[in-house]
Amino acid sequence: MSDHTVAPTKPASQATQIRLLTIRMLRKVMREPAVTIPNLAISVFFLFTYNGAFGSSGVTSFPGVGGNYLNFILPVTVLFSSISGGAAGLTLVADLETGYFRRQLSMPLSRASIVLAAILLGAIQVLVQATLILCLGLLMGADPAAGVGGALALLGFALLWGMGFAGYSVATGLKTGNAQAAQAATFIFFPLMFLAPVFLPMEQLAGWIQAIAKVNPTTYMLEAMRSVMIQGWVASSLIKGLVAAGIFATITLTAAVRVARSKTSRA
Amino acid sequence: MIEVNNLQKTFGKGDEAVHAVRGVDFQVDEGQIFGLLGANGAGKSTCVLMLATLLAPTGGSARVNGFDVLEQPNEVRQSFGAALQETGLDPLQKGVELLELHGRLYGYDKATAKARAADLLETVGLSSDGGRRIGTYSGGMRRRLDLAAALIHHPRILFLDEPTTGLDPASRRAIWEEVSKLKSEGVTVLLTTQYLEEADQLADHVAIMADGVIAATGTPDDLKAGMGADVVDVDLADEAEAIRAAAAVGSEAKVVGNEIRISATDGPAVLARVMNQLREAGIEPKGVSLTQPTLDDVFLNLTDGGSDHE
């Protein structure tokens, strides 16, 4: 312990800043469980209902589904849990509204630290929810073809996708500064999600949906996650998934940091 | 410690542009309390936000603790502590968590930040409330926590933007005492206020702002002396009567509520003349007084009735 009656010489390192700010946001989120629980409940609900509706139907005989519909639908619910990464933006908007965000800007903190802390918060939430969903899926009878490693790969994809989604929500949240607008912006998730081979393999989709699904990054995420569930380790699927999620995350994180910088110098 | 040169801020563009600060110059020496006095919308807060690196100036320059606000913002941020008009506190955070977190962000290690937070909670009288969420605090408690947060890293410079607006007299007095104590420790303070009494009480040097420019600057005593030695106040039945009385006396008389006020170097002679003028106009004063000027008079002179004196 140094002397607390004299001024500190220089601010905390960037790594410490990010760690401390992330912990603060995690505390904040945990003190408002009503904000996070519904999303988890919806993911669980989808897992049960989709499996219930299609699990014993003829769909399981389609090529690409692999006999166990649970393996086919589990990645969808894991992906669905990534919408909880949107909490990152909402938490920042709450800080904008209370003025706490501005207080942080008056401190010797890197702008990137403030933004990255929010994005990490989103990613952690996604990871926690995805883990719960995955465990539930395994209990219900999912059996990843790639084994334990495959299950971990699934979580890795969820984390990466969640960061991308958190970056998107931080960028829109900071840009609009408005909780409703930030919430509304997360609805982009739905066209992204459902214009993809969600319930059926790609080949079974209508032509126009197939055309859109081919340029939708969600498609490649889903197919990468499904490959570890149904086929085992398939390099081409994994690489495509990584590239799609990587590009999405890079774009949204860059946008988030940009918006934060412009917010500080011109606001 | 603070140097401001031709500082300007314009919001918006073209016809809708608002020139909030239109070329302000001042300097605050080490250990001084500098009071920026003005009505709402005079540009005081905009000046403070620019010095606190929260707003980029449209023109001019400013240095805080020797660092340029645009070129070296992080050095500036490490140098000052600020309690702004909107306190900016997270209601879900606990008071002690805020102080410990900020202590660490400014560079203390964990144990040091803890000790500093405990010290400050005691200073501002919140020791027994630190463990509660800020959402449960009263307005006065938030202000005190805000002040503690501004002091966490022993800043050499403190920005206080209307620190007592909306506070009850006891809380105001407590903040005044804390500011005086900080001055005795050598902290440089830039204080904005709408209260003349506050500036008179605390500030070594005062700048009066109106319409984005500094209308007058000096020590409170200088400013009062510049007003002429004496002030004649005439109390009247109501405001309408006061307006009639002002018309009878001439442009030197200002209406202040039910009173008219005249500043002059030779109070007694002016008093006699004014009584004559009122009698001729058939106006019956309810009371008359002759006093030394207060900062109020300087302020009203420069802002309210400024056009008469240009």
Side-chain angles (χ1 to χ4, degrees), chain B residues 12-248:
Chain B
K13 286 198 180 89
D15 291 344
E16 293 183 0
V18 175
H19 303 282
V21 175
R22 302 183 296 167
V24 161
D25 297 88
F26 62 84
Q27 190 177 333
V28 185
D29 296 331
E30 185 159 9
Q32 234 184 13
I33 299 187
F34 189 90
L36 214 46
L37 184 62
N40 274 332
K44 309 180 301 279
S45 295
T46 307
C47 280
V48 171
L49 291 177
M50 285 192 279
L51 290 174
T53 72
L54 290 170
L55 270 182
T58 323
S61 66
R63 298 180 86 81
V64 173
N65 199 19
F67 303 112
D68 187 279
V69 293
L70 277 179
E71 303 299 323
Q72 299 153 292
N74 260 338
E75 285 80 0
V76 171
R77 291 174 190 136
Q78 185 77 7
S79 306
F80 74 82
L84 302 176
Q85 254 181 78
E86 285 152 39
T87 48
L89 298 166
D90 170 9
L92 293 174
Q93 202 172 29
K94 294 173 182 171
V96 67
E97 286 171 356
L98 172 83
L99 296 181
E100 287 180 11
L101 168 66
H102 286 205
R104 297 195 67 192
L105 291 172
Y106 277 106
Y108 283 133
D109 61 49
K110 196 170 178 174
T112 312
K114 229 181 165 67
R116 178 68 181 143
D119 245 23
L120 276 172
L121 282 174
E122 200 183 322
T123 306
V124 298
L126 290 174
S127 292
S128 55
D129 303 292
R132 278 171 44 206
R133 289 188 192 176
I134 296 168
T136 67
Y137 286 18
S138 71
M141 289 164 79
R142 280 167 198 248
R143 283 292 176 88
R144 283 184 277 150
L145 181 66
D146 193 33
L147 184 61
L151 296 173
I152 192 84
H153 57 300
H154 291 283
R156 302 299 302 148
I157 296 171
L158 196 58
F159 297 141
L160 300 176
D161 194 8
E162 302 201 6
T164 64
T165 299
L167 288 189
D168 60 75
S171 303
R172 180 181 297 178
R173 182 68 55 184
I175 299 252
W176 285 2
E177 273 165 23
E178 187 54 35
V179 172
S180 303
K181 206 178 102 205
L182 289 166
K183 180 190 159 64
S184 70
E185 290 165 10
V187 176
T188 307
V189 182
L190 176 67
L191 168 100
T192 77
T193 182
Q194 300 186 41
Y195 303 121
L196 305 143
E197 191 196 356
E198 188 159 282
D200 206 0
Q201 184 87 204
L202 291 175
D204 304 305
H205 209 88
V206 174
I208 296 177
M209 268 192 98
D211 281 333
V213 294
I214 289 182
T217 174
T219 65
D221 286 341
D222 284 345
L223 289 173
K224 287 184 230 165
M227 281 300 295
D230 303 325
V231 172
V232 174
D233 276 318
V234 183
D235 212 2
L236 295 140
D238 54 30
E239 198 169 343
E241 187 89 329
I243 291 166
R244 277 208 314 129

Side-chain angles (χ1 to χ4, degrees), chain A residues 120-153:
Chain A
L120 268 179
L121 167 85
I124 291 169
Q125 278 185 276
V126 171
L127 193 60
V128 169
Q129 293 213 9
T131 306
L132 289 173
I133 297 285
L134 178 67
C135 290
L136 190 64
L138 293 175
L139 284 176
M140 285 167 68
D143 50 347
V148 177
L152 291 177

Side-chain angles (χ1 to χ4, degrees), chain B residues 246-299:
Chain B
V249 171
S251 67
E252 71 215 274
K254 288 189 197 346
V255 178
V256 185
N258 294 347
E259 296 178 8
I260 60 166
R261 182 169 291 186
I262 305 110
S263 321
T265 42
D266 49 348
V270 169
L271 179 60
R273 195 197 80 213
V274 166
M275 293 310 288
N276 270 330
Q277 285 170 319
L278 292 180
R279 194 167 43 243
E280 276 165 27
I283 297 166
E284 189 68 29
K286 293 181 70 185
V288 179
S289 68
L290 177 63
T291 44
Q292 288 279 307
T294 66
L295 218 42
D296 257 304
D297 304 303
V298 182
F299 186 66

